[in-house]
Amino acid sequence: MTVKVTEAAAADTGVSAASRARTELARLISYIVFGGVSVVLSSMAAGLPTSRWEPLGAGTFPKLVFALLAVLCLIAAVRSIIEIVRAGGLAGVGAAFTQWLYVRRVAIGLFVLFAVYLGVLPWTGFSLASFVFLLIAQLMIADVSRRTVMQSIIAALIFSVGLNLLFAEVFNVFLPRGVLFAG
């Protein structure tokens, strides 16, 4: 009887250790991302102009906050690495990460699509970039059929060209035209 209890406890410990390792890996990745962003923002804050009247200048407080955040992320990342090693390493993390990516593929795809949208917006302009973004985003989310394609085209036209016309004609605010159509 005690052998079965011991084996069950050992199996449970293995599952919880693997789960802890995966959780710590996710935390480690988030610490690296937030720390990297903090370093970039701290270096950008260094470019803020200095003040004539204050010895510290406008960029001192943001530099201090972001540098402190980067140091805290570094400490937390080291702690996560120690916890991963204590939990027994990263056995099975690759398969779990692949499954995690597969489950969240649409959300990740939408984030990537949004980043591409923001990147091409200055060149193509609001109307064209928004039309393509909205059309692709709707087709990623919906089941593709003839009806959904037509609905997606109509919605993308309304919300890209329609919003551009609304802002230009009613509010007298002009959205980016883009380099391609600036002539």
Side-chain angles (χ1 to χ4, degrees):
M1 182 80 167
T2 59
V3 174
K4 289 183 181 181
V5 171
T6 307
E7 288 175 4
D12 186 43
T13 305
V15 171
S16 65
S19 177
R20 265 193 359 245
R22 286 193 296 266
T23 302
E24 286 300 324
L25 178 65
R27 287 182 183 157
L28 176 64
I29 292 169
S30 69
Y31 296 146
I32 290 170
V33 168
F34 286 127
V37 169
S38 297
V39 167
V40 169
L41 290 175
S42 179
S43 66
M44 288 174 65
L48 292 174
T50 58
S51 174
R52 292 184 191 181
W53 300 281
E54 296 179 31
L56 296 177
T60 303
F61 183 71
K63 282 192 310 189
L64 180 67
V65 168
F66 290 127
L68 181 64
L69 186 60
V71 168
L72 290 174
C73 285
L74 178 66
I75 292 169
V78 169
R79 187 175 162 267
S80 286
I81 292 171
I82 291 169
E83 287 297 320
I84 289 170
V85 171
R86 278 188 192 160
L90 299 175
V93 170
F97 183 70
T98 304
Q99 181 185 7
W100 182 86
L101 282 177
Y102 179 76
V103 168
R104 290 156 181 85
R105 68 188 180 281
V106 174
I108 293 168
L110 286 174
F111 278 119
V112 170
L113 182 64
F114 185 67
V116 170
Y117 167 72
L118 292 177
V120 300
L121 184 65
W123 288 285
T124 61
F126 177 80
S127 293
L128 181 61
S130 296
F131 175 76
V132 173
F133 169 75
L134 290 171
L135 181 65
I136 293 172
Q138 291 177 74
L139 294 176
M140 283 174 66
I141 294 171
D143 292 329
V144 178
S145 68
R146 187 173 282 200
R147 181 179 178 187
T148 57
V149 169
M150 290 306 297
Q151 289 174 342
S152 297
I153 290 172
I154 291 169
L157 275 173
I158 290 172
F159 285 105
S160 61
V161 178
L163 274 178
N164 197 10
L165 287 174
L166 175 73
F167 274 84
E169 299 300 324
V170 176
F171 302 124
N172 206 19
V173 174
F174 299 98
L175 298 174
R177 292 179 70 186
V179 175
L180 296 176
F181 303 109

